[in-house]
Amino acid sequence: DAGVIQSPRHEVTEMGQEVTLRCKPISGHNSLFWYRQTMMRGLELLIYFNNNVPIDDSGMPEDRFSAKMPNASFSTLKIQPSEPRDSAVYFCASSLDSGGPSYNEQFFGPGTRLTVL
Amino acid sequence: AQSVTQPDIHITVSEGASLELRCNYSYGATPYLFWYVQSPGQGLQLLLKYFSGDTLVQGIKGFEAEFKRSQSSFNLRKPSVHWSDAAEYFCAVGGKGTYKYIFGTGTRLKVLA
């Protein structure tokens, strides 16, 4: 299995530009997570999808951020317009939610390092 | 408030030496606890997890962790560190039936040859 795939791995853009990050979860997984990692705030959950439906977007910092999951094998995180404070590493993770009460291990992608100038 | 504290930002050890990484948590319900490792340029990989039962849990790569409820701690240990263990380590806490986990800020481990 290729694991969770993210693209691009690095993105440098200028303030005000639109940025789109992409994620392909592990085949067969039905839950997908977007995280943001910064030195100041650590790893934060931005949004959680289950069966392609956004379940919890309470971590999305503001309206400039949006995420979609049009099908089970693809998700995007978009920032428009981007700002320097959005500079961070963005991780996508996926898991197989068996529906039980136990933890379902999340498998992380390699991340996208975003720099907004 | 729910939180995870990893008090050591950086730790340096010599290869072959023992290792202990500290993790303290604050959580309102029965905690599920995890340690992840992040190698440079890679995503997070689960090392081990604790749900209940034996408070000493074994993980991959020779790591173990001990849950101490009275101290709200879940420290990670390894008896003999290898150069390939150099990475960043994250402690996380969650609860039964929840997908939302709280991560610590990480401890970066450097291994001297």
Side-chain angles (χ1 to χ4, degrees):
Chain A
D1 196 321
V4 176
I5 299 172
Q6 292 186 246
S7 64
R9 293 293 306 277
H10 301 273
E11 177 80 33
V12 180
T13 190
E14 293 188 345
M15 182 174 62
Q17 297 298 307
E18 177 180 294
V19 175
T20 300
L21 311 181
R22 298 172 175 79
C23 175
K24 177 179 170 56
I26 292 173
S27 178
H29 282 189
N30 60 355
S31 293
L32 184 137
F33 307 81
W34 281 102
Y35 288 89
R36 179 172 65 177
Q37 184 182 41
T38 62
M39 289 293 293
M40 292 299 295
R41 301 175 65 89
L43 199 64
E44 302 172 283
L45 177 64
L46 298 178
I47 188 167
Y48 159 57
F49 290 88
N50 184 259
N51 293 321
N52 311 337
V53 176
I55 303 300
D56 181 357
D57 64 355
S58 60
M60 296 287 264
E62 49 198 276
D63 292 345
R64 297 185 297 107
F65 286 70
S66 62
K68 294 182 180 179
M69 192 165 186
N71 57 62
S73 59
F74 184 66
S75 176
T76 59
L77 178 67
K78 184 177 293 186
I79 308 172
Q80 166 63 20
S82 58
E83 297 183 2
R85 61 194 168 114
D86 301 329
S87 297
V89 180
Y90 292 82
F91 288 103
C92 177
S94 70
S95 70
L96 177 59
D97 180 2
S98 60
S102 63
Y103 172 77
N104 300 298
E105 180 180 348
Q106 295 179 21
F107 293 80
F108 283 77
T112 295
R113 182 173 295 277
L114 173 64
T115 302
V116 183
L117 303 174
Chain B
Q2 299 173 345
S3 65
V4 173
T5 301
Q6 294 180 246
D8 304 305
I9 298 174
H10 297 278
I11 282 186
T12 300
V13 299
S14 297
E15 191 170 20
S18 63
L19 172 70
E20 182 169 30
L21 303 183
R22 295 182 291 165
C23 173
N24 292 95
Y25 68 89
S26 173
Y27 198 72
T30 300
Y32 287 2
L33 294 154
F34 315 89
W35 276 99
Y36 284 84
V37 60
Q38 183 181 20
S39 298
Q42 301 298 313
L44 279 70
Q45 180 185 20
L46 184 67
L47 281 176
L48 48 78
K49 58 183 180 280
Y50 172 78
F51 290 169
S52 64
D54 192 346
T55 57
L56 185 64
V57 294
Q58 303 296 321
I60 62 172
K61 305 185 181 188
F63 285 92
E64 66 179 25
E66 185 172 13
F67 171 59
K68 292 185 178 180
R69 184 183 300 276
S70 62
Q71 299 178 19
S72 297
S73 69
F74 189 56
N75 294 346
L76 182 71
R77 300 195 294 249
K78 187 169 185 178
S80 178
V81 171
H82 188 263
W83 64 266
S84 61
D85 294 325
E88 190 153 19
Y89 292 80
F90 293 89
C91 180
V93 66
K96 183 177 179 179
T98 178
Y99 55 85
K100 188 173 282 189
Y101 295 90
I102 301 161
F103 287 83
T105 51
T107 297
R108 187 172 296 277
L109 174 65
K110 182 177 180 180
V111 180
L112 301 176

